[in-house]
Amino acid sequence: MSRPPTAPWPGSWEPLARLALAEDLGRAGDLTSDALVPPDALAAGGLVARRAGRIAGMEVARTVFTGLDPRVSIEVLAADGDDAGAGETLARLSGNARALLAAERTALNFLGHLSGIATATRELARLVGDHPRIVDTRKTLPGLRALEKYAVRVGGGANHRFGLDDAVLIKDNHLRLAGGVEKAVRRARSAFGHLVSIEVEVESLEQLESALAAGADVVMLDNMSPPLMAEAVRRARGRALTEASGGITAGSIAEIAATGVDLISVGWLTHSAPSLDVALDLDGRGPD
Amino acid sequence: MSRPPTAPWPGSWEPLARLALAEDLGRAGDLTSDALVPPDALAAGGLVARRAGRIAGMEVARTVFTGLDPRVSIEVLAADGDDAGAGETLARLSGNARALLAAERTALNFLGHLSGIATATRELARLVGDHPRIVDTRKTLPGLRALEKYAVRVGGGANHRFGLDDAVLIKDNHLRLAGGVEKAVRRARSAFGHLVSIEVEVESLEQLESALAAGADVVMLDNMSPPLMAEAVRRARGRALTEASGGITAGSIAEIAATGVDLISVGWLTHSAPSLDVALDLDGRGPD
Amino acid sequence: MSRPPTAPWPGSWEPLARLALAEDLGRAGDLTSDALVPPDALAAGGLVARRAGRIAGMEVARTVFTGLDPRVSIEVLAADGDDAGAGETLARLSGNARALLAAERTALNFLGHLSGIATATRELARLVGDHPRIVDTRKTLPGLRALEKYAVRVGGGANHRFGLDDAVLIKDNHLRLAGGVEKAVRRARSAFGHLVSIEVEVESLEQLESALAAGADVVMLDNMSPPLMAEAVRRARGRALTEASGGITAGSIAEIAATGVDLISVGWLTHSAPSLDVALDLDGRGPD
Amino acid sequence: MSRPPTAPWPGSWEPLARLALAEDLGRAGDLTSDALVPPDALAAGGLVARRAGRIAGMEVARTVFTGLDPRVSIEVLAADGDDAGAGETLARLSGNARALLAAERTALNFLGHLSGIATATRELARLVGDHPRIVDTRKTLPGLRALEKYAVRVGGGANHRFGLDDAVLIKDNHLRLAGGVEKAVRRARSAFGHLVSIEVEVESLEQLESALAAGADVVMLDNMSPPLMAEAVRRARGRALTEASGGITAGSIAEIAATGVDLISVGWLTHSAPSLDVALDLDGRGPD
Amino acid sequence: MSRPPTAPWPGSWEPLARLALAEDLGRAGDLTSDALVPPDALAAGGLVARRAGRIAGMEVARTVFTGLDPRVSIEVLAADGDDAGAGETLARLSGNARALLAAERTALNFLGHLSGIATATRELARLVGDHPRIVDTRKTLPGLRALEKYAVRVGGGANHRFGLDDAVLIKDNHLRLAGGVEKAVRRARSAFGHLVSIEVEVESLEQLESALAAGADVVMLDNMSPPLMAEAVRRARGRALTEASGGITAGSIAEIAATGVDLISVGWLTHSAPSLDVALDLDGRGPD
Amino acid sequence: MSRPPTAPWPGSWEPLARLALAEDLGRAGDLTSDALVPPDALAAGGLVARRAGRIAGMEVARTVFTGLDPRVSIEVLAADGDDAGAGETLARLSGNARALLAAERTALNFLGHLSGIATATRELARLVGDHPRIVDTRKTLPGLRALEKYAVRVGGGANHRFGLDDAVLIKDNHLRLAGGVEKAVRRARSAFGHLVSIEVEVESLEQLESALAAGADVVMLDNMSPPLMAEAVRRARGRALTEASGGITAGSIAEIAATGVDLISVGWLTHSAPSLDVALDLDGRGPD
């Protein structure tokens, strides 16, 4: 899909943007700027990437600035999905100086976090090319799931479940409570015949065969060795999609991809990807 | 401080815990458990650290479980501030099986993120010993600031500003708008005489002298070379606290500490520390 | 599934219950009871079905009463999923008289609405027996979707999409914008390979064949005559699920079911089913 | 009043409109349109009444569309209070195609529900002419009371109490706890002398006389036979308003009206009136 | 009414209590107690009235303490409606010392404000005895209206309108827009026949006669001299209630009451009554 | 500081403005204006100060009017910080007549309360001139703290702590639990070395010396006689700021100021300052 991915409805994250501003402004507001900068002073500057990365969250950052002061103007030079080099200016801002300074950290916290996820996803996606697809997990940070999963899409990945309610995913703990793979898949199928996909985690070829026999849509191959995974992929072909899971890193991903698996899920994209370093550099130089 | 740090008031993060549960349960709830697990089935299991680390967020995790079902019982074996080894059981849970499964991911997302921050902080703190203190920044994730800063305290660090309103911190961008260091510090002092501390970022010994002359409480030594920083620390001693800042890592921190600086601030503790891997392992084994 | 359906997490509807109480109590509270009933007077009574129906929402009603006053006690005689006769007592309540009176209308508004949906669903489900399944739509009342869809399950129906985001459903308007059925299905398939089901509305056998060729998971047979629908069902068998849609009533449902279709979706279950008449009858008789 | 009734302050229902959009968009948004419709595609179409009815809620529908995308433009052809024929176009819409499709169902859910109430009210109002007035009850759906009562006004009805706090209404259950009619009315009168009206439900002429003697402002004649009601109306004339209540339908309303009663309250207007069928028909035809 | 007035439903003010706690605890909590008091230290003490007054808001105060820590125990010695002397202990508290200290100011801010209103109301009420009644206005502080009006009732006053929607009150500005008194009253009467009371402000005997002729329920005698007011009261007797309004103080109220007016409304009860001075005195004495 | 003080971020108080409007409009809106004023009628008028005072809260008032109807236009004649005379027009308003009338009371409640605080502060500030500074306390009304403290700044005062978390303030109750002054100050200093100021309440010269020896930043001289306070100020000079506290009024403030103390804190500025009387006078005169 060359078309850029669709961002979540602003109405869904604007409350978080307001909350984050409130979290930073506290009860007394920006003491430093209030003391040092005249209320009507204007300023201009750039959002600059200190390191190279894929940009995600620029519209959220814009909303933080304009949420604090609707008169701030932002010219976006690197939109979501663009790859920026180290030192590149991502956007030019101008407006009330106090507003730019007061919104800076909140805007950058969103932009850095989401661009960090997009950058990490893009790096993995580049290592595997068109197949398999890199997918995320539900290991997201509280309150940020929809934005984080959007950043994964921006990075070239695809989304796994958004929550417990949009597909069945039968894992280890379920099998301990519900009996074997085949019984569990059949039971889920009879509970939700219509529109709901069923995925099951398997650790052996026996479990795989049970899952396929019961009609699972997707099988998650959990922590399998590459040769075992390749055999599992071979058996599942045409019967179910296959997903590799479990501690996969940039170092191991090529070997996993070579098994022919359809999907590789990577939890750390959303819970541990380092933030992309972006800063606000105001123009000019005060009298000294 | 051997006493464990004080956690934020539960009333301040319970709405986030509920939001995170809602984010995961969606509109239709936990399809998998609803299909596979009888409504009254009981289960028990342990929260297990897959890697060693310092625990933070156990009470939040407890609240997620009991928020979903008040009858879930949790015996905490490793409380906030404890160091757990890889494979160690952090808590024993028992209660309604569906509730344990439905709350699992949300609880672990909090616990893993906060323990990751505490673990990273502790590692830096160990490298420097009693002096200087490791402090955090405002580079936090939206909505999570108070919890993340608590996790820094749990890891043995101290907190810098919680927001723009609890101290003055004059940085590069302010100086561009407000003139030189001395003028800025004096102006801030006259604006807020009472109870508000003033910190200013300096990049040279000249700026440092201006800051000290103007009566800054703290000087931030930004990206100084260790010898320059040592000289700055020497000059500031007894006149202002000194804070080292700028891209400090585990590799460089000992050299920075050796300059005698009072505080070392590290942004990545809160925006990029990797999550600690914690899992829920239910007891037992279903029929197969 | 003989097991009763799973109710939504109380945390998801408790805010609505509180909002509804606030909507009724206003700023000044229950003037009538405050004037006439001593603050500590106790009362007891029954929730009585004035007409026969299937009960849904009893736990919501309980939460309304206990949300107003935690000391109210409720003994449920007819739980969600039970069929009550006209005049049957569904629950016995006792507690502070003012609390019972003040919560009465709010609790009944939930219970009557949800039981009305369950009753209407059950009546359709009885007309068709085990096959096809009766399913709901997204034609729900604002803020009430999860509860209304739960009531459909209580009535023996199944749930269609909970929102725009849990499956693809290609309808008339989409086809006007996106070209023909086959192209649309293929495009959706390539956009969301994993876990997302695809349904497409078809009005002719030609469109049906295109949908099947493109691999749709479900075809919606919109406003087809029964003979045409029967032919469509025959062609789709083993290749896709079939769903009948469009103005289906108790009068026409048997003929639709006889076509062999898998699912019948009925919008009025959630937007127009009449409320079940339930009342609170307090015991006793005041002095006269 | 030939002037159209006043709609509730938008600030009071905009949160519900946003909640309803969020309920439909979920975490992942409109999968179908995102896959099939280019992000910048434009579309136009009409909101069309499938059946005749009185329109209510058009401004709410407009707010749903513009709440999702402020650039959507809506030309209203049938405003609140207008009577539309089957097949009539109520409004013309144009704007971003994805936005129109994503907001469609939410907007229609409001418009259909409120127009259904207005239509049902208008039908009853036509049956009785200028006198008596049709009034609603507190049997409304949770969260929707103010909008539903507005729809009753649009249909030509008037509003009874908005909540427990804007008038005293002494009913059966109160009398069981508080003693007889006369004592209850007097006690309420002494508790709230100023601005608060007092209504009491009576089932016999004896109770009626007590209520009138005690100075009730309104007497509710509950489930009385028409001849008894006519006698009650005769006795109350000039002393109190009279309100007929209890299972009144289109079939029985003329006979009730003929008793001369001032008000007829009808609960099903708000809890059971069927939705008015309104649809969005986009213009044009995709390539096939 | 010797029975104590009914307090607003806790569900209506608990969010304000939580907000007020959050406002005081900020992001970092109670620094002082965290530094000085061991986490498990217990303490006990009393809420003491520094000056005499009528108590209102004790349950709100209790909820603030237990909202911060459910284990705090409170024995109420002076409940709402009681008159306390200077130095009197209103309640005994015991529990976690940090919780008592952290909740203290928030609890006292509610208790002092509401008791201040009750005390001021009681003082006016004592000056006039049983007749006329002291009533409040809509001149309340944002967010606090229901609690403030409750405090007026606790002080022995009665409540005027709770908002713009529970009665018609025609004032000067309305008359400028709507024509004369008689026309305005008649128009309001025809708009809202049922349950809605109508009050009109009059400044002369001519306006009074128009209001009475048009059937106003209450006439507000605005800034009339006592002799004119007495004449107005005489003319209105048996036809409408009379309300004195406009800058009435403790000094002038007896003269106003002597006119025979039914109600005296006093805005400053809610917007300017001074807070009652209440403090928390912890028991004991630390080592020194 | 001749520059006007910075107002809180509108995002922080707009929810309170909406809540206050909702509190006044209730469920049925402004009955009076709906009945008497045509929906499209225009009106104009002025906000007029009935008494002289310093204005604070004009932007909040503006937001209330435009929040109800964005087309209302307001020309501000007396901005925050201006001193208005009795009878002076503070702002000219024009727009939809119903909107002006419906927002009037809510806007005035904010404007009167905040201007009352600013006026009271200004009066005290005038009595003491440039030194000492008048400061507020945490004795604020629930939900209004940031606005009230802004009003204090508008009146020429300065702000003490905004909450429990922005400085340490050791008071009587802490000393009872934590031991003597010196120990408490030292313990607080070791807990929060960086950026956090420490103030301690002292009642005697002995406690003062302990506080100074322990390095307190500020000493609060509580209820000291003027001679004792003068001696305390003399001893503290150059070592700590001094703050006078405890029942200080306009009558006693000059004597307190003469002691040379740096700060005088006055609780009643925020909890008991009387509202400034401001009214809306619409232009024109209706037909009579």
Side-chain angles (χ1 to χ4, degrees), chain B residues 25 27-28 34 37 39 68 98, chain C residues 3 6 9 146 162-163 165-166:
Chain B
L25 290 164
R27 292 157 302 206
D34 288 354
V37 180
L68 194 70
R98 286 183 174 185
Chain C
R3 181 190 292 171
T6 308
W9 173 45
F162 273 75
D165 70 329
D166 54 357

Side-chain angles (χ1 to χ4, degrees), chain D:
Chain D
M1 183 173 51
S2 61
R3 182 189 293 171
T6 308
W9 174 44
S12 69
W13 47 260
E14 284 167 353
L16 184 63
R18 276 194 296 273
L19 171 66
L21 275 171
E23 199 178 38
D24 204 25
L25 291 163
R27 292 156 301 207
D30 183 356
L31 297 186
T32 312
S33 300
D34 289 353
L36 301 185
V37 180
D40 298 326
L42 298 175
L47 294 180
V48 180
R50 295 279 188 254
R51 295 181 182 260
R54 176 158 290 188
I55 303 310
M58 186 57 82
E59 287 309 307
V60 184
R62 179 207 292 275
T63 295
V64 170
F65 281 109
T66 59
L68 194 69
D69 183 344
R71 299 162 306 169
V72 168
S73 108
I74 307 187
E75 181 193 4
V76 173
L77 305 175
D80 284 11
D82 287 345
D83 290 312
E88 188 172 325
T89 298
L90 308 178
R92 291 285 309 162
L93 289 90
S94 61
N96 180 274
R98 286 182 175 186
L100 295 181
L101 289 163
E104 169 190 353
R105 176 52 33 221
T106 301
L108 293 177
N109 285 348
F110 276 105
L111 188 59
H113 180 59
L114 297 177
S115 298
I117 291 171
T119 301
T121 307
R122 180 203 56 176
E123 283 168 19
L124 290 192
R126 282 186 180 161
L127 290 171
V128 300
D130 276 355
H131 190 272
R133 299 192 83 169
I134 306 299
V135 299
D136 52 29
T137 67
R138 285 166 41 249
K139 296 180 176 175
T140 58
L141 295 175
L144 290 161
R145 184 169 289 174
L147 285 173
E148 291 178 336
K149 286 187 168 257
Y150 162 66
V152 166
R153 296 197 299 277
V154 170
N159 297 138
H160 209 292
R161 291 198 297 175
F162 273 75
L164 291 161
D165 70 330
D166 53 358
V168 168
L169 175 43
I170 303 168
K171 298 211 281 187
D172 199 19
N173 277 331
H174 300 102
L175 296 177
R176 286 185 193 150
L177 296 166
V181 163
E182 186 160 357
K183 182 169 154 202
V185 173
R186 289 197 195 284
R187 217 191 279 171
R189 181 64 74 209
S190 79
F192 310 104
H194 174 229
L195 295 180
V196 173
S197 297
I198 296 176
E199 176 167 354
V200 62
E201 177 185 311
V202 299
E203 294 174 355
S204 66
L205 295 179
E206 291 68 34
Q207 284 187 317
L208 173 72
E209 292 293 350
S210 299
L212 295 173
D217 299 297
V218 191
V219 286
M220 179 188 285
L221 310 173
D222 192 42
N223 280 307
M224 283 188 177
S225 69
L228 182 59
M229 190 178 290
E231 173 61 18
V233 168
R234 201 188 55 75
R235 295 195 187 188
R237 189 152 298 142
R239 301 168 72 193
L241 288 174
T242 50
E243 172 183 340
S245 166
I248 297 162
T249 64
S252 62
I253 200 166
E255 193 179 13
I256 298 292
T259 64
V261 74
D262 298 303
L263 305 152
I264 299 180
S265 60
V266 185
W268 65 261
L269 291 177
T270 46
H271 66 63
S272 299
S275 181
L276 185 70
D277 190 0
V278 181
L280 169 65
D281 290 338
L282 290 191
D283 303 344
R285 181 102 215 109
D288 219 344

Side-chain angles (χ1 to χ4, degrees), chain A residues 25 27-28 34 37 39 68 98, chain F residues 3 6 9 146 162-163 165-166:
Chain A
L25 290 164
R27 291 158 301 207
D34 289 354
V37 181
L68 194 70
R98 286 182 174 186
Chain F
R3 182 190 293 171
T6 309
W9 174 45
F162 273 75
D165 70 330
D166 54 357

